[in-house]
Amino acid sequence: MNGVAFAFAAMMAAVSAQPRDPAVTDRVDLVEINHYYDAQGRLVFDQVIFYEWSSKNARFDVVAWRLLKTPAQVPTRDWKRGGYVTSWRDGEVLREVRSIQRRETWTQHDPELIERDYLPRELRRGLSRQLAER
């Protein structure tokens, strides 16, 4: 093995040996990517809304939502584990949300705001605040 190859192999071993930040992981039944436009058709904001199915209410209830600040936050298909996943730095934690289903909408209303009529923010489950006990 030449010196360059050895240095590269040593660097890769060191990188893979470093512990990664564990992610706070949540699971939801549906994730919605919403693009909210004003009356003139201008984009106001993009958001991701997390829902769980309520058999009691026979509908999807909002768990939480976040503004989409970077394209990296857009939920993508997880071909290995199934479903969809999004992850991002959320304050002090690395957050990951997994979903069974995904939809994308373009609206002239804010669906999360309307959902407050069905389930007020203070009654929502919200996303986990800390790592689950292992």
Side-chain angles (χ1 to χ4, degrees), residues 5-20:
F6 179 80
F8 179 76
M11 180 185 71
M12 293 307 292
V15 168
S16 65
Q18 291 177 353
R20 294 201 168 112

Side-chain angles (χ1 to χ4, degrees), residues 86-119:
T86 181
S87 58
W88 71 97
R89 178 71 52 192
D90 191 11
E92 296 294 314
V93 300
L94 179 61
R95 182 171 300 285
E96 177 181 276
V97 180
R98 300 189 149 278
S99 176
I100 300 166
Q101 302 174 70
R102 177 189 126 149
R103 71 180 174 204
E104 190 164 1
T105 58
W106 294 260
T107 62
Q108 287 190 312
H109 66 278
D110 181 351
E112 185 275 328
L113 190 61
I114 291 171
E115 287 297 317
R116 293 178 191 180
D117 292 339
Y118 297 99
L119 186 64

